[in-house]
Amino acid sequence: MARLVEFATVRRTGRIAGVMAGISGTGFANAAVSTGIDGGKAAGICAGVILAALVGYALWVCTRPLIRSRDRHFRNALLFLAGLWIIKVVAVAFCPGFATDVGDFEAWALTIAAGGPARMYHAGYFLDYPPGYLYALWAAGWVAQWSNASGAALRIIIETPALASDFALAAIVFTFVRRSGGLLIAWAAMLMVALNPALLFDTIGWGQADSSLTLVMLLSVLLMAEAEYELGWALAALALLIKPQILMILPVLALWTILRCDVRRWWRPALAFIATLIVGAGPFQATQAWRWLPDLYLSTAAFYHETSVNAFNFMALVGGLRSSDAGTVLGISYFALGMGLLVPLYTFAAFILWRNQNTRNLLFAIFVVLFGFFMFAPRMHERYLYPAVVFVIPLAIEEPAMLAVFGVLTLTCLVNLAYVLHTFRTTVFLGTRDPAAMAVSLINLIAFAIAAAYGYVRSGGPREAVLAAGAEPAMLAALEEERFRMALKDWSAGFKLSSAPADTFANFPWTRLDTIAIAALTLAAALLRFWHLGHPGEIVFDEVHFVGQARHYLHGEPFLDPHPPIAKLIITLGIALFGDHSWAWRLGNATIGTVLVAVTYLLGRRMFRSRLAAALGAGFVACDGFFIVDSRIGCIDIVYLTFAAISYLLLFRFMQTPEGQKRRRTLIYLGIALGLCLGSKLYVPAITFLLVAGFVAYTLLRPASEAQSGPASAQMQIMMGGLLLVGSVSAIFYLASFLPHYYLGWWGGIEDLFQYYKGVLWYERSVSTATHPYQSPWWSWPLMLRPVAYWQNFPPKGDVSTIWGAGNPLTWWAV
């Protein structure tokens, strides 16, 4: 903590000193004169022009087809982006950004404009950026000096390079998609960049320049996809000079070049890469040692020797936020664990490219490496997810699964940026196990698992065969447009109940992707439900009733219970097997709550015939606070909910199965699930029973086709027989739940069951007017629309909010 405070102080001190020197110009100018140099301005201007020409030529190469064809839609897109730029400029004037970072950029811009690049990296001056972005700040600083700008005007000028990168980034995405697809998806892709809330917040709300790095990275990748290897590697070198994050994707670009480029040509991209580094770094080299640039990268990375520098990722889940990465888990340091996980990540990306060398797979490999590096590498900052959000967009506009991943990443990236910035402005540092950070980290981990699983299945697709066949651009565009429209049709149809014949589900087979998705979601649910299951070690909330009743069963002590016994018997089983411990009486519910996630996936798949809908539904259940809390305490609700979900799953199986032995077996299984549901809680499961019985009757009364229709009396007999089968099996298992009462000698005959119901009615009348310590008056219900004010005072402290242990993720959902 002390070291981080010292670092923040150094940044502020360096910023203030830089601003003073930049505005006056005298301090830096005197230093330049004393060394007998002009600050490297002449060399810097030449290098800056060369680098600007490099980016300009790359933009021309990417947009040349639309410019030469005089595509009016491209012109309209540019006009739209220009208008949006004006709106962003106005927004920047009213958004101060993060004062420390904005002050750094202003100080660096004014300082390099006053004294040139050669003395920027002098001792005692805080500057942790490589020289690439300083060229853009140099131009902005010169304009600021010339106009004597200050305040909001200075902020706008210094932010102009980032705003220009926003503009170019959206235009390039439009161009790329427009060249291979239709107008509709080109505009959609452009808006996904231009109006993306996470990307907007990074530039305007924070005042950062991640768009500049991402623009050069995207240009580099797209040019290499079109066999422009020399230009692509020159841009990769420029990206390395802007920020070292380009190192994440250099192995992928190298493999792509090896696989696609003639070996006799390899020296040319290598030469372009080295030459660009020399040109860009040369003007800053005058007063520095020969290895100052590698030392700068190494010192910057070494400074943040932490598990996660406010990045909501896997390392944050494992080691916590801003913990030393020298700490260990299972004898392995966090740093070694994170770096070791990169090996399978890059192996996976290499396999994707090796399997099929097409543009789609290149983009996916770049995306999965950017996302995976953010998730698993140590020392990641909150803003390092920015490029992954951009690179997933070309995939998202034609693949619904990737569209869902894009939506999740947009949300989590925005939350990560906004939450960290808010913390910087208030309490300075997040807690090591901040609940919100842990929740978002888990969501990111699930999103990565889904993206990787989908990418593996999709990577062998036939799309590139059309490209390799030399199809005409117009034909290819029509094909891509049709594919997108069909995808949209399937996407919307996937969320509607089909009126097709009952056996159409056979056309939606189980695949390896289903296995991976259900396994990943179930594992995530298990981690959330079993982590610190024994905390707190005392009775929580209504456990006072249900755990006490389980102890009565174990001790053979009769008691009056208004609810049927199955849920309490599950609690009893845990105590009987493992002893009377807090984790033991919650073990059964944690297991059942985990099963519910898998059942939800199967149910969603049955209902919507969509793997994405199934994964989203199961993911919501896995992460929802209600289901988590109810699975982690010894109460009864999660039991009947799970059996109800199983009943609905079997109902859909029954409705989607043609007449035969399998359908009749499904009715038996349905009766068992309904009987167990009814035996878990009073009243509420009866609604489930009535709903299921009603749909069973409707299905049996409606013939699957005209050929199968028969006399109304015959259909009625079939319906009555089906209901009788379901009802009788349900009744058998419901009554069987009371067998422990007979085994323990509390009941002796059928009349005791009726006496039980009489006692339940008496109990319900007795408690109908009773109060509860967690009850709020009716007039306070509207306060629930104001969750912050409401939950600060209700419920009382020390109840459900203590369910999660110290350091456990998602604590805040338990409140």
Side-chain angles (χ1 to χ4, degrees):
M1 181 68 75
R3 179 172 59 81
L4 295 175
V5 173
E6 179 184 358
F7 170 64
T9 306
V10 169
R11 291 199 71 168
R12 284 193 216 98
T13 305
R15 172 168 57 87
I16 295 171
V19 171
M20 294 176 62
I23 294 175
S24 65
T26 56
F28 201 97
N30 291 338
V33 171
S34 65
T35 57
I37 61 174
D38 66 347
K41 286 186 177 181
I45 291 174
C46 292
V49 171
I50 293 172
L51 296 179
L54 178 66
V55 176
Y57 180 68
L59 291 171
W60 160 254
V61 171
C62 289
T63 59
R64 179 171 51 194
L66 297 185
I67 294 176
R68 287 182 172 177
S69 65
R70 300 181 183 275
D71 191 314
R72 62 184 181 87
H73 300 294
F74 180 55
R75 180 191 60 198
N76 294 338
L78 294 181
L79 291 175
F80 173 84
L81 293 175
L84 185 59
W85 190 343
I86 296 174
I87 297 175
K88 289 181 179 180
V89 168
V90 175
V92 166
F94 290 95
C95 294
F98 183 44
T100 301
D101 290 342
V102 171
D104 285 338
F105 289 141
E106 292 175 353
W108 298 340
L110 295 173
T111 302
I112 194 172
R119 290 290 302 275
M120 282 300 293
Y121 293 92
H122 63 81
Y125 186 76
F126 175 77
L127 176 54
D128 61 348
Y129 266 48
Y133 192 63
L134 295 183
Y135 285 102
L137 290 179
W138 189 358
W142 181 84
V143 173
Q145 277 193 334
W146 174 77
S147 61
N148 198 27
S150 62
L154 177 61
R155 164 104 164 87
I156 292 172
I157 293 172
I158 301 302
E159 196 66 24
T160 296
L163 294 176
S165 298
D166 282 354
F167 177 94
L169 195 58
I172 289 301
V173 171
F174 178 91
T175 304
F176 172 74
V177 178
R178 177 67 174 145
R179 289 173 58 187
S180 60
L183 177 63
L184 174 64
I185 57 176
W187 272 93
M190 184 190 74
L191 295 177
M192 289 163 74
V193 176
L195 300 181
N196 189 287
L199 309 187
L200 288 172
F201 188 87
D202 182 88
T203 302
I204 299 174
W206 195 300
Q208 278 293 339
D210 295 281
S211 57
S212 298
L213 170 68
T214 307
L215 170 64
V216 180
M217 290 173 63
L218 183 62
L219 287 172
S220 174
V221 172
L222 295 182
L223 288 168
M224 290 193 198
E226 297 184 3
E228 295 282 354
Y229 300 108
E230 294 82 3
L231 184 56
W233 277 101
L235 288 166
L238 177 56
L240 181 59
L241 289 172
I242 294 175
K243 277 191 172 184
Q245 284 93 296
I246 184 67
L247 292 171
M248 301 178 189
I249 68 170
L250 285 187
V252 179
L253 297 180
L255 178 60
W256 175 264
T257 304
I258 292 172
L259 293 174
R260 297 292 296 263
C261 181
D262 188 349
V263 64
R264 294 169 295 182
R265 188 181 166 188
W266 287 357
W267 66 273
R268 292 161 61 181
L271 181 61
F273 182 83
I274 296 172
T276 305
L277 286 179
I278 294 174
V279 169
F284 296 84
Q285 185 76 44
T287 58
Q288 304 293 334
W290 68 271
R291 55 169 299 163
W292 71 274
L293 189 57
D295 287 340
L296 175 65
Y297 289 132
L298 293 174
S299 63
T300 302
F303 186 87
Y304 298 98
H305 48 83
E306 298 164 349
T307 51
S308 170
V309 190
N310 296 319
F312 297 168
N313 58 11
F314 176 76
M315 294 307 298
L317 286 173
V318 174
L321 294 166
R322 311 213 75 156
S323 301
S324 172
D325 59 14
T328 61
V329 54
L330 300 177
I332 304 173
S333 71
Y334 293 126
F335 180 82
L337 174 63
M339 300 306 291
L341 289 174
L342 298 183
V343 175
L345 173 67
Y346 281 100
T347 302
F348 176 70
F351 170 77
I352 294 296
L353 284 185
W354 188 273
R355 189 181 189 188
N356 196 346
Q357 293 99 51
N358 57 55
T359 302
R360 187 267 171 199
N361 280 4
L362 174 62
L363 290 173
F364 178 81
I366 295 292
F367 160 72
V368 79
V369 164
L370 288 170
F371 190 14
F373 209 101
F374 172 84
M375 287 301 301
F376 301 113
R379 308 179 183 184
M380 289 291 103
H381 292 250
E382 67 284 333
R383 293 175 287 105
Y384 289 3
L385 191 56
Y386 186 109
V389 175
V390 174
F391 273 90
V392 76
I393 291 174
L395 306 172
I397 48 98
E398 67 173 45
E399 300 172 17
M402 298 307 293
L403 180 63
V405 172
F406 164 76
V408 171
L409 290 192
T410 296
L411 178 62
T412 58
C413 183
L414 176 62
V415 171
N416 202 161
L417 293 172
Y419 193 45
V420 171
L421 181 59
H422 172 74
T423 304
F424 281 168
R425 288 172 172 170
T426 53
T427 57
V428 182
F429 299 111
L430 288 170
T432 302
R433 292 289 182 180
D434 183 88
M438 298 299 104
V440 177
S441 299
L442 182 63
I443 294 172
N444 276 335
L445 183 60
I446 295 173
F448 177 82
I450 293 173
Y454 172 80
Y456 169 79
V457 175
R458 177 67 171 78
S459 62
R463 178 176 186 266
E464 195 64 9
V466 180
L467 297 174
E472 293 294 328
M475 187 175 99
L476 181 59
L479 176 64
E480 291 292 317
E481 178 74 5
E482 182 63 21
R483 288 180 71 253
F484 176 72
R485 292 183 183 278
M486 291 299 296
L488 283 182
K489 183 178 179 181
D490 293 342
W491 176 252
S492 59
F495 289 91
K496 297 178 182 177
L497 283 175
S498 175
S499 59
D503 61 350
T504 55
F505 192 78
N507 298 324
F508 191 59
W510 187 273
T511 66
R512 188 179 302 174
L513 179 59
D514 290 298
T515 303
I516 295 173
I518 196 172
L521 289 164
T522 306
L523 176 60
L527 291 174
L528 285 173
R529 284 151 179 78
F530 286 94
W531 181 286
H532 276 213
L533 186 60
H535 183 88
E538 64 274 1
I539 292 292
V540 173
F541 197 58
D542 274 354
E543 284 185 339
V544 67
H545 303 297
F546 305 123
V547 175
Q549 291 164 2
R551 290 167 178 165
H552 286 317
Y553 277 115
L554 289 172
H555 299 151
E557 302 167 350
F559 63 94
L560 174 61
D561 179 11
H563 297 288
I566 286 182
K568 276 83 64 178
L569 293 176
I570 292 174
I571 299 174
T572 305
L573 180 62
I575 299 175
L577 291 176
F578 303 104
D580 197 351
H581 310 291
S582 56
W583 61 268
W585 68 61
R586 298 166 186 159
L587 187 63
N589 278 8
T591 304
I592 290 176
T594 303
V595 170
L596 178 60
V597 175
V599 172
T600 304
Y601 182 88
L602 298 174
L603 180 58
R605 193 175 179 276
R606 281 272 176 184
M607 290 177 64
F608 304 114
R609 300 185 72 249
S610 167
R611 295 180 179 89
L612 177 60
L616 289 175
F620 292 150
V621 173
C623 300
D624 184 84
F626 172 83
F627 292 106
I628 291 174
V629 172
D630 227 12
S631 302
R632 294 179 54 86
I633 57 177
C635 292
I636 64 175
D637 297 282
I638 198 66
V639 179
Y640 84 82
L641 283 173
T642 302
F643 285 130
I646 295 173
S647 301
Y648 293 133
L649 173 62
L650 292 170
L651 171 65
F652 274 90
R653 179 185 177 184
F654 170 77
M655 297 174 67
Q656 294 168 345
T657 303
E659 180 60 42
Q661 188 68 25
K662 183 177 179 181
R663 200 181 197 193
R664 288 189 286 274
R665 285 201 306 268
T666 302
L667 281 180
I668 296 174
Y669 301 148
L670 184 56
I672 295 173
L674 287 172
L676 296 175
C677 181
L678 290 168
S680 302
K681 189 179 174 80
L682 187 69
Y683 295 143
V684 180
I687 299 175
T688 300
F689 182 87
L690 292 176
L691 281 173
V692 171
F695 278 102
V696 167
Y698 170 77
T699 303
L700 292 175
L701 281 175
R702 186 189 65 170
S705 64
E706 291 296 330
Q708 295 179 356
S709 62
S713 59
Q715 294 294 130
M716 182 64 68
Q717 290 176 4
I718 293 174
M719 184 269 290
M720 294 299 296
L723 290 181
L724 181 61
L725 178 60
V726 172
S728 59
V729 174
S730 299
I732 290 172
F733 277 82
Y734 173 75
L735 294 175
S737 67
F738 292 97
L739 288 178
H741 292 211
Y742 291 95
Y743 175 78
L744 293 171
W746 302 346
W747 293 2
I750 189 65
E751 67 277 4
D752 290 309
L753 179 63
F754 294 104
Q755 289 295 328
Y756 164 75
Y757 288 122
K758 183 177 180 181
V760 169
L761 292 175
W762 169 83
Y763 174 84
E764 293 295 328
R765 288 194 299 268
S766 300
V767 301
S768 60
T769 58
T771 59
H772 196 285
Y774 304 115
Q775 180 181 354
S776 61
W778 65 267
W779 48 262
S780 69
W781 295 348
L783 293 177
M784 296 186 72
L785 299 176
R786 301 175 56 201
V788 174
Y790 182 77
W791 290 110
Q792 282 178 344
N793 301 293
F794 175 80
K797 303 300 178 183
D799 45 85
V800 183
S801 61
T802 65
I803 291 170
W804 290 81
N808 205 337
L810 304 180
T811 309
W812 62 301
W813 283 351
V815 179

